[in-house]
């Protein structure tokens, strides 16, 4: 079962690095915002995996708050771009 | 001989993941400082806060990670965006 977590962590880190490449490379603003959204989702999955690895259920709450507030941050940036705020 | 001892231990994977996150943190902070487009600087600040929250959880501090996620990701981004609406987007 530990091997499963190692493979999962490696895949999540690889996905994070690929999304970070698009974040630092992307020429326009929507590229970077979508890359930030993808990194937020990948890191939320990583937090849920860490809760399983460390056997602490309090860590699930961190992933929950993180998902909701990350979504709110992305939505506020998107509202800024269409001149809502 | 040395290379044969370099197997995939849990400590090595843990340190590799922490190292990748720290590297992304530093690169995002430098990106946020040198950027002329201030909207992209705000997005870079949000990314710094996002990665820092995961690092706090890796250091076994879930309450600090919770506060960092609440304040850094949502509140700071929203306040900076409201301030950016009242000023200009590009830095002269």
């Amino acid at each position: 079962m530990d091997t499963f977590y190692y493979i999962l962590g490696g895949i999540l880190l690889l996905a994070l690095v690929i999304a970070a490449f698009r974040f630092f490379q992307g020429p326009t603003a929507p590229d970077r915002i979508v890359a930030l959204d993808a990194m937020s989702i990948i890191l939320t999955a990583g937090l849920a995996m860490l809760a399983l690895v460390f056997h602490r259920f309090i860590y699930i709450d961190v992933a929950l708050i993180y998902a909701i507030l990350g979504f709110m941050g992305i939505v506020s940036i998107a509202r800024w771009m269409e001149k809502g705020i | 001989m040395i290379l044969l001892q370099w197997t995939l231990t849990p400590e090595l994977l843990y340190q590799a993941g922490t190292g990748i996150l720290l590297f992304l943190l530093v690169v995002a902070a430098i990106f946020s400082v040198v950027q002329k487009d201030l909207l992209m600087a705000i997005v870079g600040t949000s990314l710094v806060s996002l990665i820092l929250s995961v690092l706090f959880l890796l250091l076994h501090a879930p309450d600090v990670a919770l506060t960092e996620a609440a304040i850094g990701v949502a509140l700071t981004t929203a306040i900076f965006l409201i301030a950016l609406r009242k000023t200009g987007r590009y830095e002269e």
Side-chain angles (χ1 to χ4, degrees), chain B residues 48-89:
Chain B
V48 168
S49 166
L50 216 65
I51 296 173
L52 199 59
S53 177
V54 178
L55 283 171
F56 280 141
L57 198 82
L58 279 173
L59 294 171
H60 296 282
D63 46 351
V64 186
L66 208 62
T67 312
E68 176 68 31
I71 291 177
V73 177
L75 197 60
T76 306
T77 306
I79 288 174
F80 278 173
L81 286 174
I82 292 170
L84 188 62
R85 174 59 70 199
K86 297 185 187 306
T87 59
R89 175 171 171 175

Side-chain angles (χ1 to χ4, degrees), chain B residues 13-37:
Chain B
L13 280 172
Y14 187 82
Q15 288 169 1
T18 311
I20 289 173
L21 283 177
L22 282 172
F23 179 73
L24 286 179
L25 180 73
V26 172
V27 173
I30 292 172
F31 170 83
S32 174
V33 168
V34 303
Q35 188 65 252
K36 292 292 184 188
D37 189 355

